[in-house]
Amino acid sequence: MANLQNPIFNDDTAAREELERVRWPNGPICPHCGNCDTTKIALVAGKKHSHRPGLRYCNECKGQFTVTVGTVFERSKVPLSKWWLAVHLLASSKKGMSAHQIHRMLGVTYKTAWFMCHRIREAMKEGSFETPMGGNGKTVEADETYIGKRETPRVSAQRKGRPFIKRGKTGGAQKRIVVGLVEREGRARMFHLNDATAATVRDVLVRNVSRDTILYTDESRLYTATGSEYATHRTVKHTAKEYARKEGDIVVHTNTIEGVFSVFKRGMIGVYQHCGEAHLHRYLAEFDFRYNRRTKLGFNDAERADDIMRGIEGKRLTYRRIDEAANA
């Protein structure tokens, strides 16, 4: 639980010093040339105080920088104390916190709060997923879910390019597709796909799950062929109301990934309510981040917030794309 009386939430100097501690545990690093020799980096100080607080000078490249340069906070006019509070609110709220709530609590405009939240989600992004999930003797559950209405209707080749139609029944033909993977007692990854086919789902699986993994899915034909590429592939038959099956000492089910989807949907429907499809991948990164740092894995709110602050480095998210601004 975050102590809201902590000075980092109301004192900009304390907030900056805390960010320096988290981002530079072994001393400042120049974002321009990568110099980490503290003897060649000087803190700019003087009686006139005409410089920015925390400004440093690198004698290696002759450049100046602060702790926010080269991060999602660069050039932000929002005080660091408010950034810390927004980060703690998003890190500690299991189902997220809306930009309208951030705007009311921090005393900033809704537009500013919305953009702050997206910058924080960018810092939550795990990266390129270079380390595969699962492994020898480990179990990964895979499933797909459908949420919201697609903004670009899915077309049907059989209907000569016209959109799919569901007559007399509901279905996922015109909903946004999310494929989820979760390692038992481990981490989760969710992906937004334009189409859920055997080929697209296979691409997600083989890129993210080691082949010597035990794979659990439902009876969907999306996994039939791909499942044979893994050490073991077991399924549960949801259409027959089978949700768990005991085979000796193991229990075959996909309830773990269903639980991940449950928290995600409760947050998207109950907290965020409206999400443009272009931004869905950022919300998926947010829910992945919190699930992968849940209390059961030994994380608390402060540690989640610190991890977000470590993730701000090397990322920029601007109102206009840099290439668009250059060509304007």
Side-chain angles (χ1 to χ4, degrees):
M1 181 180 295
N3 176 15
L4 295 181
Q5 293 182 334
N6 191 321
I8 66 173
F9 298 132
N10 49 54
D11 184 279
D12 291 333
T13 300
R16 175 179 53 78
E17 291 173 349
E18 180 67 7
L19 182 58
E20 290 174 348
R21 181 194 67 79
V22 172
R23 189 183 173 199
W24 297 330
N26 300 314
I29 301 173
C30 177
H32 306 300
C33 66
N35 173 38
C36 58
D37 186 350
T38 55
T39 63
K40 295 183 179 180
I41 296 177
L43 180 65
V44 179
K47 294 181 180 180
K48 293 184 179 180
H49 297 289
S50 59
H51 52 76
R52 291 169 288 167
L55 183 67
R56 286 173 167 79
Y57 177 79
C58 176
N59 285 288
E60 195 71 26
C61 67
K62 313 304 180 185
Q64 294 183 338
F65 63 95
T66 64
V67 70
T68 61
V69 172
T71 73
V72 295
F73 298 161
E74 186 172 348
R75 295 191 176 186
S76 171
K77 303 299 183 183
V78 178
L80 277 176
S81 57
K82 293 191 176 185
W83 275 112
W84 267 110
L85 183 54
V87 164
H88 268 282
L89 291 172
L90 277 173
S92 59
S93 303
K94 186 174 182 179
K95 299 176 183 68
M97 183 164 288
S98 70
H100 267 298
Q101 187 67 31
I102 297 286
H103 132 72
R104 290 191 293 267
M105 295 180 72
L106 269 63
V108 298
T109 65
Y110 169 66
K111 182 179 179 180
T112 296
W114 185 90
F115 197 56
M116 287 177 71
C117 290
H118 275 299
R119 287 190 180 188
I120 294 170
R121 291 185 188 105
E122 182 71 10
M124 287 176 161
K125 194 164 62 175
E126 298 281 5
S128 59
F129 297 136
E130 294 177 353
T131 304
M133 301 174 71
N136 188 20
K138 293 184 178 180
T139 300
V140 169
E141 299 176 19
D143 199 5
E144 74 283 349
T145 191
Y146 302 85
I147 183 171
K149 187 178 181 180
R150 297 173 66 104
E151 295 174 4
T152 52
R154 184 183 174 203
V155 298
S156 167
Q158 291 81 5
R159 302 189 73 248
K160 299 180 180 180
R162 289 175 293 171
F164 278 98
I165 295 178
K166 288 283 185 178
R167 295 186 184 276
K169 61 179 181 179
T170 59
Q174 295 304 335
K175 289 191 173 185
R176 303 170 189 178
I177 303 164
V178 175
V179 171
L181 309 171
V182 63
E183 185 178 311
R184 292 269 180 94
E185 306 299 328
R187 297 191 163 201
R189 296 176 187 175
M190 290 186 285
F191 305 87
H192 174 218
L193 298 183
N194 190 48
D195 288 296
T197 64
T200 57
V201 171
R202 179 188 179 277
D203 185 65
V204 170
L205 280 168
V206 298
R207 286 177 181 271
N208 291 276
V209 182
S210 177
R211 300 297 182 90
D212 54 353
T213 302
I214 300 169
L215 183 65
Y216 288 172
T217 68
D218 57 22
E219 74 276 24
S220 171
R221 288 180 292 177
L222 294 173
Y223 308 99
T224 304
T226 307
S228 63
E229 300 181 36
Y230 287 85
T232 305
H233 178 210
R234 292 186 173 90
T235 64
V236 287
K237 197 170 184 179
H238 288 168
T239 54
K241 299 189 181 299
E242 179 190 53
Y243 299 101
R245 182 178 68 256
K246 196 165 186 180
E247 294 183 358
D249 295 332
I250 64 171
V251 180
V252 181
H253 65 77
T254 58
N255 295 338
T256 313
I257 188 63
E258 296 289 355
V260 175
F261 287 153
S262 174
V263 174
F264 167 66
K265 285 189 171 183
R266 287 169 187 264
M268 295 304 294
I269 296 170
V271 176
Y272 293 121
Q273 301 181 25
H274 304 287
C275 167
E277 193 168 0
H279 301 297
L280 182 57
H281 67 287
R282 301 197 188 280
Y283 290 88
L284 292 173
E286 175 190 345
F287 282 89
D288 281 346
F289 178 92
R290 279 195 298 266
Y291 183 85
N292 296 341
R293 290 160 182 80
R294 58 194 184 277
T295 303
K296 190 174 182 181
L297 294 183
F299 288 84
N300 58 35
D301 294 344
E303 290 169 333
R304 277 189 290 273
D306 284 354
D307 268 4
I308 293 174
M309 289 305 197
R310 294 186 189 99
I312 66 175
E313 190 168 352
K315 299 174 182 176
R316 289 297 306 277
L317 193 62
T318 57
Y319 283 104
R320 300 176 65 190
R321 292 178 61 88
I322 295 174
D323 53 350
E324 292 176 354
N327 295 328

